[in-house]
Amino acid sequence: MENVFCIGGQVSGDSFIGRKSLLVKFRDTFSKNTKVTKAIIGLTRIGKTSFVRQVFKDFPKENLIINEDLNEWSTYEEMWQDILIQIEAYLQKYASQNEFTDEILENIALIEKGNLIWVKFNRTIKNIFESLNEAKIRTILILDEFDNAQKIFSEGTKHFELLRTLLSDSKYNISAITISRRNLHTIEGTTYMSSTFHGILDPVYFKGFNNEDFEEYYNIFKNNNVCLSDEQKKQIQYYAGNLPFLLSILGHYILECAKYGDEIVISKIFENKCNAINDYYRDCIKHLERDQDINKILPFVTGPNLNVTQNDRDEMINLGYLKIDNGEYLALSHHFMILVSKLITNDTWSNLINLEKYIKNIIHSELLTLVKNLKLKGKDLKEIELNLLKKTDGISDKDISRYDSFIFNNYKTLKVKSDYVDVMSLKDCIKIMNQSYHVFKKFFDNELQVEVISQLDKCGEARNPIAHGHEEYLSEASRIMVNTYCDNYLKVFYRTARKLNSTKDKGYINLIINASCP
């Protein structure tokens, strides 16, 4: 029994499963049209690269096919150097020597010498592709891992504009495919403010298997004398959704069980052999967090979907994170949603409490330093805190009166002496920091005030009397957002403590490190 289901890496031959109709359409489009530009967009490991390789497998040699993986290069110049190496190799192997090819090789040699100013570099690249067109050589440029363009195209506009000109001007006659996880306009936005490049490529949103693909997938089991029940198929899709990579992992181990005569129990196969599926889902969560898209997807599947727009929904569907399953919204798979819920509900309140504790430690630290430096004789910490509260915008006399009651009750009931910072809310602590951010910015690694306060405000809103102890008052999106911010700033505080360890600010060091900051 040959196991055609591969785990990891690009697939080809019998291991390339599904996408057959789309494959025929793409081969036909690129064969019959002289100029085609496509942007293939979809989840990580959804099979984009394998698909493109299949499209151009055994393509006529009259086509110069250039494959570039942007993850392999650290600079724009390195990318172009590799492109030129592939052009040179093609000319030496397939092209007849003529005035056009001679000119191309001369221009390649000019760039290989290096140290060209941008104007000369730009013009030389254009001359090379213009000569290729005049030599009746059709160029197909494949730019894989295009998400890394934000690093490679480090000088922004001029780097994008050169590529835009090459792909849009008919005198270069370049067909192209970009392969990325994110939309091109999003990638552009991380590099420069203008948004012109993405408009010249036709987006193709690469999603999971459709019914035709699933039929081919399940036929593989039939051809290997493995009869799967409808219930087993439901279980496979419960764990893997319609994602080819995950379906291939389960398929591989199902055939392994059949090969050795073991009972095929999908849940046991998943639990014992498919850690890679959970690893993949965790990577998806990281991508959603890093792209700031987590709040766009969770409300649709955990409800309610307030504050999420129709555009947000459409974007998540296009990117492959969200689909409609039996009239309901589903993110990737049923198992993924359970995994997300477990990951984001575990420590929301402990994270908020820890964040509040360290912020109060920071404020105490600065106030104690103030008392020491100014030698404020006859004034205790509580008196200084009271003065600070009165001068802070957004903290009213009513708030101060409430804190007085807390302090009194703490001593009366628990015999515990408290000061204002001990009993004040996280939201009021953040107000103090906002008003005197020039004092506190060192604790936040000098991050921008507007960014820090905005994120802390979200945590302050979650740490409120109604939601406290009742996580159902927080949406799943709010929980994961709060956990992310808390985790980030606890790590920032720890890094700051390490930096200040070489200074004289030992008060803060003791408050943070001795408190076991993670």
Side-chain angles (χ1 to χ4, degrees):
M1 179 187 296
E2 181 184 0
N3 199 330
V4 300
F5 292 114
C6 291
I7 301 177
Q10 297 176 26
V11 295
S12 60
D14 292 338
S15 294
F16 184 82
I17 302 164
R19 320 287 195 191
K20 296 301 188 292
S21 296
L22 186 61
L23 183 63
V24 170
K25 181 179 178 180
F26 258 68
R27 284 185 68 91
D28 189 58
T29 298
F30 275 88
S31 296
K32 295 181 179 179
N33 296 278
T34 57
K35 184 171 176 56
V36 185
T37 54
K38 299 285 186 181
I40 295 181
I41 302 159
L43 294 170
T44 181
R45 310 204 74 171
I46 197 76
K48 304 183 294 293
T49 300
S50 295
F51 172 79
V52 173
R53 293 293 171 89
Q54 287 294 117
V55 169
F56 296 108
K57 183 180 179 182
D58 301 323
F59 222 60
K61 65 180 181 180
E62 290 77 16
N63 297 276
L64 164 57
I65 300 173
I66 302 171
N67 281 289
E68 282 302 310
D69 184 337
L70 267 59
N71 274 348
E72 293 184 3
W73 315 118
S74 56
T75 68
Y76 190 70
E77 290 72 21
E78 287 179 355
M79 179 193 76
W80 278 113
Q81 286 168 11
D82 191 65
I83 288 173
L84 297 180
I85 287 171
Q86 292 183 61
I87 293 174
E88 189 173 17
Y90 174 88
L91 293 177
Q92 292 173 350
K93 186 174 183 179
Y94 295 114
S96 301
Q97 185 174 350
N98 54 49
E99 58 180 305
F100 298 118
T101 57
D102 288 344
E103 183 180 351
I104 293 168
L105 293 173
E106 288 175 5
N107 280 319
I108 289 175
L110 181 64
I111 290 181
E112 286 176 344
K113 290 180 181 179
N115 298 320
L116 291 181
I117 61 172
W118 172 253
V119 173
K120 186 69 174 178
F121 178 88
N122 184 303
R123 174 49 53 194
T124 305
I125 291 291
K126 290 176 180 177
N127 288 342
I128 289 170
F129 286 101
E130 188 172 359
S131 297
L132 283 169
N133 187 31
E134 290 172 341
K136 308 301 181 185
I137 297 172
R138 182 193 180 197
T139 302
I140 300 176
L141 177 61
I142 301 168
L143 297 174
D144 200 354
E145 300 292 348
F146 199 71
D147 296 272
N148 202 38
Q150 66 186 75
K151 173 184 175 183
I152 301 297
F153 291 61
S154 58
E155 292 190 39
T157 302
K158 68 180 184 181
H159 284 173
F160 271 109
E161 288 304 327
L162 171 57
L163 190 58
R164 173 186 169 81
T165 301
L166 291 171
L167 299 188
S168 59
D169 196 323
S170 59
K171 70 181 179 182
Y172 306 115
N173 194 31
I174 300 175
S175 291
I177 294 180
T178 61
I179 304 172
S180 62
R181 183 175 52 79
R182 296 173 296 166
N183 284 304
L184 294 190
H185 66 80
T186 301
I187 296 170
E188 278 184 316
T190 62
T191 310
Y192 74 120
M193 296 306 295
S194 178
S195 183
T196 57
F197 175 70
H198 69 273
I200 64 171
L201 291 104
D202 178 31
V204 178
Y205 293 103
F206 215 68
K207 302 177 184 178
F209 277 180
N210 58 25
N211 291 336
E212 180 185 346
D213 300 327
F214 269 118
E215 185 176 353
E216 181 182 347
Y217 173 77
Y218 287 124
N219 278 338
I220 293 173
F221 298 104
K222 285 184 182 179
N223 296 336
N224 283 276
N225 299 314
V226 177
C227 184
L228 294 175
S229 67
D230 289 341
E231 182 60 32
Q232 286 174 314
K233 292 177 182 179
K234 286 181 181 178
Q235 289 179 326
I236 289 172
Q237 289 173 234
Y238 173 88
Y239 291 113
N242 63 350
L243 304 177
F245 172 58
L246 307 188
L247 289 165
S248 186
I249 293 173
L250 275 169
H252 178 88
Y253 289 114
I254 290 170
L255 289 187
E256 286 294 299
C257 285
K259 178 179 179 180
Y260 295 105
D262 297 333
E263 182 183 8
I264 297 175
V265 181
I266 305 300
S267 59
K268 288 185 178 179
I269 291 173
F270 173 79
E271 291 170 4
N272 296 329
K273 298 184 178 182
C274 298
N275 288 334
I277 292 180
N278 281 338
D279 290 340
Y280 174 85
Y281 284 144
R282 290 188 181 96
D283 285 342
C284 287
I285 292 172
K286 290 178 182 177
H287 288 150
L288 284 164
E289 291 174 343
R290 185 163 58 244
D291 299 339
Q292 298 182 345
D293 284 335
I294 193 71
N295 293 335
K296 295 179 183 178
I297 185 173
L298 291 181
F300 283 110
V301 289
T302 60
N305 60 350
L306 302 175
N307 300 320
V308 182
T309 67
Q310 181 81 13
N311 287 338
D312 291 335
R313 188 206 70 161
D314 293 345
E315 182 180 6
M316 291 297 98
I317 290 175
N318 286 336
L319 293 178
Y321 285 109
L322 190 66
K323 61 181 178 179
I324 300 176
D325 183 54
N326 294 323
E328 296 181 354
Y329 291 108
L330 180 68
L332 301 186
S333 73
H334 290 284
H335 176 71
F336 174 76
M337 288 312 303
I338 291 176
L339 180 64
V340 169
S341 297
K342 288 180 179 179
L343 286 175
I344 66 179
T345 58
N346 281 343
D347 294 314
T348 304
W349 296 114
S350 61
N351 281 343
L352 280 169
I353 291 168
N354 281 334
L355 180 69
E356 181 176 316
K357 178 175 65 175
Y358 292 120
I359 284 178
K360 288 183 175 181
N361 282 344
I362 289 169
I363 296 174
H364 272 135
S365 172
E366 284 304 294
L367 290 175
L368 289 171
T369 301
L370 180 66
V371 171
K372 180 180 178 181
N373 290 345
L374 298 181
K375 299 178 180 179
L376 300 176
K377 296 181 180 180
K379 290 188 178 182
D380 60 16
L381 185 60
K382 183 180 174 183
E383 187 178 354
I384 296 172
E385 289 177 349
L386 177 59
N387 188 49
L388 177 63
L389 292 176
K390 289 180 177 180
K391 291 182 178 181
T392 300
D393 293 338
I395 299 179
S396 66
D397 290 339
K398 186 177 179 180
D399 294 325
I400 295 172
S401 178
R402 187 173 72 254
Y403 294 149
D404 283 329
S405 298
F406 290 162
I407 293 170
F408 175 78
N409 290 332
N410 279 350
Y411 186 75
K412 181 179 179 180
T413 306
L414 304 173
K415 303 300 180 185
V416 173
K417 290 185 178 181
S418 309
D419 56 42
Y420 285 107
V421 175
D422 290 329
V423 300
M424 76 170 60
S425 68
L426 176 58
K427 292 182 74 172
D428 282 349
C429 289
I430 295 166
K431 290 173 186 175
I432 290 173
M433 288 192 157
N434 186 34
Q435 189 155 311
S436 304
Y437 190 72
H438 63 286
V439 173
F440 296 105
K441 65 180 181 180
K442 63 183 178 182
F443 302 118
F444 294 92
D445 219 4
N446 293 312
E447 293 184 19
L448 290 175
Q449 179 175 358
V450 63
E451 183 175 341
V452 171
I453 299 303
S454 173
Q455 294 181 358
L456 290 180
D457 277 340
K458 295 292 192 303
C459 297
E461 290 168 7
R463 180 90 163 105
N464 66 74
I466 295 177
H468 182 62
H470 299 276
E471 293 194 29
E472 64 270 20
Y473 284 97
L474 288 179
S475 69
E476 302 290 345
S478 295
R479 290 176 194 164
I480 198 164
M481 176 181 64
V482 167
N483 278 335
T484 300
Y485 292 160
C486 288
D487 182 64
N488 175 58
Y489 284 115
L490 290 174
K491 290 176 180 176
V492 168
F493 295 157
Y494 187 66
R495 287 200 309 269
T496 305
R498 293 298 182 190
K499 287 181 180 179
L500 295 177
N501 194 34
S502 60
T503 73
K504 297 180 180 181
D505 200 344
K506 300 298 182 181
Y508 177 64
I509 302 304
N510 293 332
L511 283 167
I512 298 299
I513 295 181
N514 293 341
S516 301
C517 184

